[in-house]
Each structure stands twice: as structure tokens, then as C-alpha cells.
Amino acid sequence: MRDFSYLKDAPIAVLGGGAVGKTCAADCKLAGREVRLYDLEPFAATSLKDVDKTGILLDGIQRNKYCFERSGRAHFDVVTSDIEKAVKGAKLIVVGCGSWGHEAIFRALIPHLEDGMVIHIFADNFGALLLRRLMYEAGCKKDVIVGGWSSAPYGTRIESIGKFQFPHVGVKYRAITLRGAAMPMKDTDDFLASSAYLPCMDAVTNGDGPAKAETVLDVDFANVNPVIHVPATILGVSTMENWGVIFCGHDKTTYSMYSHGLCPSICEVQYQFYNEEIALAKAIGVGCPTYKYEMFFSRRSVLTQEYMGLDENGNDNVVFPLDQPSNEGNTGPNTIHHRYMTEDVPIGCKIYHDLGVQYGVPTPIIDSMITLAGAMHKKNFFAESRYTLDYLGIGGMSKEELVNYLHNGK
């Protein structure tokens, strides 16, 4: 195990100016750390506008089993679109942006990597594989640890009215456990240990702790977004699009996939989607989280255990029955052009499909989601998504080669 004492007072660079990035940055700053918040241009012109003056207010219900909470207005040490200013001397790097931003941020970051840096990707969504591929192609041999987590540490939203975003993030819940691993796997124990020095992980560190995945591919199978978001958004699209129209008296922004979209039939599809993930993981020889059938039939689906844990019998501590109303879930999506479709289908679902093709595992439910989403968007996500196994650096590998790569790297 490495001596990570140098991380205790090291600056933290948070890359990404969306809800997760701003929440992670505010959380770390309120814990007393030096924090630098970065976003890429042209997004920074909007996402970081006036943040150097206003800071970010963090509040919200912050639901979690152990009642961990941190609130306040955070003023950052650096707010910048200059990657060098953000990361120079920072030993903890948080990547907290949507997956479509990974490649651009990674390419900007690689020339400025320094020995001893630890990179945490929230949520991983195949980001660690992509970063290692890009580092390899760039000839970067810096001694850095690269790892990813199954989810962000929070369910969080930026307060907004129309297109205007307030400098305010509201945290609906805080995770008390997340599944994590490094790429390659041999760095995982060090990667997990480093999270104790990252204040945005404090609810996990002081909760049930991080869960060690078998590989980063295991982490990506543990990402609940595709299995929850995609069937609920696609199959619940009529309720979403009629919210505030046929369902009068509702503000369109109040629609919640969890509160208003889920029903037993959609939950059954989610469960069958999950079983295709299990089949993929088993065929490849990597891990995947285990959920009981009944855990899918709740208004928070399998997400609840991330922040409320399990009882002594391995069942959800809290269930939100489908036959009762609940406002526990985050709001959204409000349109088919939401990341629940534009990210989770052409990235998460598409890579699951490609893994199935490469290793001979049928994925009919996942494939149907890609087909239906494509029809709604008038696109062929199978052909148009840049997310392929080659893009991640694992195309054409046998199962043995892939597992060896995940454990040992190139």
C-alpha cells in the first residue's frame, strides 16, 4: 500500500462544471480543502460564469442512512478554463462531467499529468479504459493511478429557471457505498485507499465504505443508470411528453421518471435488462453486483441501497411501493434529448451490445432499447455512436486477453 499522507493537504482539481462537478467541488471546499474548479471551453463560458464571485451554494435533503450532511456556500481557490492552472500541483483529480466530455477533458489533462496523481472518475462509464488508451497512445508514462466509480457520490441537481442556472446545487441523496476499481486492477487497493482523502466521498468513507469491484468493467456493469434510466424513459415516454399537457396543472420540470414513470411492467423489463448484464459479466469472467428480483419493484428501483443500505437479511432497508405515490426521486427527464437517453443509450447500452457481439452473448432487451431510442431520435445508435470496443482499446481481444489487460494493463 502506498503512503498517501501527501494527499491530506494536496489541492483538489475538479474537472467538469455540471451538477456533479460543482457539487463535488463545493463539498470538498466546505470540508476545508484547496479546490480548483475547471471546465472546457466553450462550456465554461456558461457553466463557470460568475462562479468566482458567487461561489456555489450546496444544500438539499441529502438523504442517507447515517444522516451525513454538509451544507454551505463554497468559494473556490481557482475557477478556470485553463487546465494547467487547475491541475498543476494537484494530486487528487476528480473527473465529474458527462461521459461525452471525457475524451476532450482527458486529452487536455494528459500533457499535465504528474507523478503521484490519483484520478477519480464519477461515474466511470468506461472512462478509465478510455483514459488509459489515450495515455498509451500519447506515450504518457507518468506514475498515476486511474480509477472509476459506479456512480456519482450524490443525486444532485443545479437549480435553474429556463436556461438560467443559479449557483446552487441541491443534493437529494448521498451514497453511503460505491463500487470502485482502478485500471489496471493491480492499483485498486491504493485507489480505494486514496478516497479517504477526498471529502466528496466522506458519506461513503463514514458510511458502509467503498466496495472493491473485480475490475473497472465490473464497475461499469455496476452503473445503474442504463438499467434504470433507459427502460423507464423509453417505455414511460408518453407520460413524460404528456406531463403538463394531458396531465394538466403540472409544471413540465416537475416530472420524475421515478415518481411518475415506473410501473410493474417497466420494472420487469429493467430486471430482464439486468440479467443480460449478468450474462455478459459471467461470459467475460468479471464481476457484477447482485440484486434480488423484488428490489427492482420500488419507485427508487435498485438505487435505494446506494444511500440507505440493506438490512440484516440482505433486503432494502427502505422500499417505496409502486402502488403508492412518492416524491423521493430526482426530477427528469423532461425530453428525449436528456442524458438518460443521449448518454445512457449510445454509451452504456451500446457497449453492452458490443460486448455481447464480441463474446457471443445475446442481448435482445438491451438491443431493443437501442432500436427504440434510435427510432425516437431518428438515428441508428448502433452505427453512429463513437463508443465502440476499439474506442475503449479493447476491441478484438479474447476473453483471456481482456481479463489480463483489466488486471495488469499493457
Side-chain angles (χ1 to χ4, degrees):
M1 187 75 68
R2 300 191 190 196
D3 176 9
F4 280 129
S5 57
Y6 69 93
L7 295 179
K8 183 178 180 182
D9 300 312
I12 298 170
V14 179
L15 313 183
V20 171
K22 285 177 174 172
T23 308
C24 285
D27 207 10
C28 291
K29 186 60 192 174
L30 292 171
R33 299 293 290 277
E34 178 182 337
V35 177
R36 305 162 185 175
L37 179 61
Y38 163 87
D39 206 356
L40 283 163
E41 293 291 5
F43 310 106
T46 301
S47 67
L48 301 184
K49 182 176 174 57
D50 297 328
V51 170
D52 57 334
K53 301 174 184 177
T54 64
I56 295 291
L57 173 64
L58 187 161
D59 61 15
I61 299 171
Q62 303 188 42
R63 183 95 66 207
N64 65 91
K65 178 182 177 183
Y66 303 110
C67 301
F68 184 93
E69 178 269 336
R70 185 184 284 131
S71 300
R73 185 170 294 278
H75 290 273
F76 306 116
D77 299 275
V78 176
V79 177
T80 184
S81 59
D82 184 328
I83 190 76
E84 184 176 10
K85 288 181 180 178
V87 305
K88 186 176 178 60
K91 295 303 182 184
L92 282 165
I93 310 294
V94 172
V95 179
C97 67
S99 302
W100 286 120
H102 279 170
E103 181 179 355
I105 281 185
F106 293 160
R107 289 189 183 279
L109 172 64
I110 288 170
H112 303 285
L113 290 175
E114 301 170 4
D115 290 341
M117 284 180 167
V118 187
I119 301 165
H120 291 258
I121 306 173
F122 295 105
D124 182 67
N125 213 16
F126 310 103
L129 285 167
L130 178 59
L131 177 52
R132 283 298 189 189
R133 189 213 106 199
L134 294 174
M135 288 175 64
Y136 177 76
E137 291 178 356
C140 179
K141 297 182 180 179
K142 294 294 184 181
D143 181 20
V144 299
I145 294 174
V146 174
W149 298 93
S150 55
S151 182
Y154 330 90
T156 182
R157 294 288 187 270
I158 297 174
E159 181 190 0
S160 63
I161 297 178
K163 294 182 179 180
F164 181 82
Q165 293 189 348
F166 288 94
H168 171 210
V169 289
V171 176
K172 190 77 171 182
Y173 70 86
R174 283 178 177 266
I176 58 173
T177 185
L178 289 176
R179 206 172 180 97
M183 177 62 210
M185 188 64 185
K186 59 186 178 66
D187 292 334
T188 292
D189 288 338
D190 288 329
F191 174 68
L192 298 183
S194 75
S195 67
Y197 297 90
L198 194 58
C200 61
M201 286 287 284
D202 281 353
V204 172
T205 303
N206 294 289
D208 290 344
K212 182 178 179 179
E214 289 185 21
T215 65
V216 288
L217 205 54
D218 177 345
V219 169
D220 298 321
F221 283 128
N223 183 345
V224 297
N225 287 352
V227 71
I228 296 178
H229 293 167
V230 175
T233 301
I234 291 175
L235 302 179
V237 70
S238 62
T239 304
M240 178 191 74
E241 293 189 346
N242 281 316
W243 199 252
V245 181
I246 303 301
F247 301 108
C248 300
H250 296 288
D251 180 343
K252 201 166 185 66
T253 63
T254 65
Y255 175 76
S256 167
M257 178 201 76
Y258 296 95
S259 300
H260 311 122
L262 286 181
C263 64
S265 295
I266 291 177
C267 293
E268 182 65 44
V269 173
Q270 290 173 327
Y271 177 71
Q272 293 188 32
F273 184 119
Y274 163 69
N275 275 286
E276 291 182 0
E277 292 184 52
I278 289 284
L280 286 168
K282 184 177 179 181
I284 296 167
V286 298
C288 188
T290 301
Y291 302 114
K292 296 180 180 180
Y293 175 72
E294 56 270 19
M295 290 177 174
F296 285 85
F297 294 82
S298 166
R299 291 223 167 267
R300 291 298 269 157
S301 191
V302 296
L303 181 61
T304 310
Q305 60 188 261
E306 243 183 44
Y307 64 98
M308 291 305 299
L310 303 176
D311 65 18
E312 63 276 8
N313 298 313
N315 298 315
D316 286 327
N317 268 318
V318 178
V319 175
F320 300 95
L322 292 174
D323 62 355
Q324 297 178 23
S326 171
N327 63 355
E328 180 73 7
N330 289 327
T331 56
N334 312 121
T335 168
I336 62 169
H337 302 290
H338 190 279
R339 64 181 177 86
Y340 286 6
M341 285 183 72
T342 60
E343 180 177 64
D344 293 333
V345 173
I347 297 178
C349 293
K350 172 60 164 50
I351 291 298
Y352 295 159
H353 163 80
D354 287 356
L355 287 169
V357 171
Q358 182 156 296
Y359 299 112
V361 180
T363 54
I365 301 298
I366 293 171
D367 293 355
S368 70
M369 296 293 103
I370 301 172
T371 300
L372 289 172
M376 293 176 188
H377 283 263
K378 301 178 183 178
K379 290 183 177 180
N380 181 344
F381 285 123
F382 293 104
E384 295 181 32
S385 174
R386 73 169 179 258
Y387 269 77
T388 65
L389 301 189
D390 286 341
Y391 181 69
L392 301 179
I394 58 174
M397 290 185 178
S398 68
K399 288 185 283 188
E400 294 75 19
E401 289 170 337
L402 175 59
V403 172
N404 180 65
Y405 175 56
L406 294 172
H407 280 272
N408 302 305
K410 287 188 183 293

